[in-house]
Amino acid sequence: MPGLLSSPVCLTVIWFLSWSLHPSCAQIWTDEVSGTQYGHLESNVTLACGKSQFRIPVVWHLNHSSALPWHKVTSDGALVLLHVGHSAQGIYSCYDNRGLLLHSIKLRLGHPPGLLSISCQVPNHTHVRCSWLESVKTFLPAQYNASFRGNGQEWMPCVMDVTRKHCDVDHPAFWQTIHTLRITETNALGSETTYVRFKLHELLKPNPPESVFAKELEGYPKRLIVSWNFPSSWPLTEAFPLVFQIRYRPQGSIYWSEIYSEESPVVIFDALAGHLHQVQIRARDEVNAESQWSEWSPLLLVRPWEVYTTPDPAEQLPPDERFPDYFFPFNTKPETSTAKSHNPVLEDESNLGLVILLVLFSVVILITVPSLIYVMWVRQRRRDHVTKQELTSMVKMKSMPI
């Protein structure tokens, strides 16, 4: 048996089979990627064919295809991709002149990080949330590191949520005037750190009031009652009071009326009777005058109370279903009639009031007329007395000798 395997015929068959299997082995090895190489978009990228220093002819493939982007191959077998774009990404493999795989590598393209656009929200005195947006789309996976500190304090971590791109700080030093946040973005092509400075008391902005409710006030056609709850994110303590602004207007009007209050509920006294109204509420820290107003609560629609009147049943029927005139051949109503009250008690009260008014008027007349007569008599008597004195004086003067 050993002699048979060592015979020239068997050796020839084994050599032929091994030579015919080279391409299939090379095809399998193309899926074995040695690593990932990163490159800058819109620049030249060089891919080496392994670590071998032997200058042998090589053939490059991209994703098992011989079609390559704009390129050149150096004398040592390295592939130089010129001014690469996104389409140049993929798995590059180099083979020798017999089709044997020499090296395979994955190419990813992108940009280094740039400065971040950072904004911070302060919904209460115990919590800060800062979010960021990239100014440069890197197209590469990145890592972030964020820290926060008050003026003159040590750096403390800002707890990251990379998926939502924000970080949180609990119980910041609110009494500090200036605070600083730094965020570092790092990817395979570099890193960039962004600093932002701000004042917490100026960024303090509560969330909108919750459970806002508006309803009519029965019996009052010009009043509405509005109630709400504190934002759930705001601590319910006397140390952090809130002031609320309520605005309202008839639907269709461009002018708002406003009310300020520290407690719920609030009564609106000047609603427009019979009209649908829009109502909204927002909140602000009462102590910190530099803080911001919250966003307005969702718009509510409410109508003031209205008197309910029962319509005439005949009016509710369609015209065709009302009783025609020929059902009543005789006139059942007098030619002239006086409207009467449907409430006899009210009618009696109105008659009694009229009688009392007439009596009072008669009494006034009876008192006033004699008084006027007496006054005129007194004035006439005084005039007669004066005239008599004047005549007496004239007689005396005539009787005196000249």
Side-chain angles (χ1 to χ4, degrees), residues 269-315:
F269 291 92
D270 58 349
L272 190 59
H275 286 75
L276 197 64
H277 285 67
Q278 298 174 336
V279 180
Q280 285 183 300
I281 306 179
R282 63 178 181 175
R284 196 189 73 181
D285 189 317
E286 183 181 6
V287 177
N288 182 8
E290 296 183 345
S291 64
Q292 302 179 34
W293 283 101
S294 73
E295 299 297 328
W296 288 103
S297 64
L299 198 66
L300 290 179
L301 295 178
V302 60
R303 189 185 302 272
W305 176 84
E306 293 180 287
V307 180
Y308 177 76
T309 57
T310 303
D312 188 352
E315 294 180 356

Side-chain angles (χ1 to χ4, degrees), residues 331 333-337:
N331 188 3
K333 294 184 180 180
E335 294 295 332
T336 60
S337 62

Side-chain angles (χ1 to χ4, degrees), residues 63-132:
N63 298 329
H64 311 304
S65 172
S66 59
L68 296 173
W70 188 27
H71 70 283
K72 65 179 181 179
V73 179
T74 63
S75 58
D76 59 354
L79 176 66
V80 180
L81 302 174
L82 305 174
H83 202 65
V84 291
H86 286 287
S87 61
Q89 295 186 118
I91 298 175
Y92 287 83
S93 305
C94 60
Y95 303 86
D96 61 11
N97 54 1
R98 295 180 301 169
L100 179 65
L101 175 67
L102 301 177
H103 185 68
S104 182
I105 191 168
K106 183 178 181 180
L107 176 63
R108 292 197 63 175
L109 302 171
H111 297 288
L115 293 175
L116 301 174
S117 175
I118 301 175
S119 61
C120 295
Q121 295 80 40
V122 186
N124 56 56
H125 294 80
T126 62
H127 185 76
V128 178
R129 170 165 290 183
C130 294
S131 307
W132 66 86

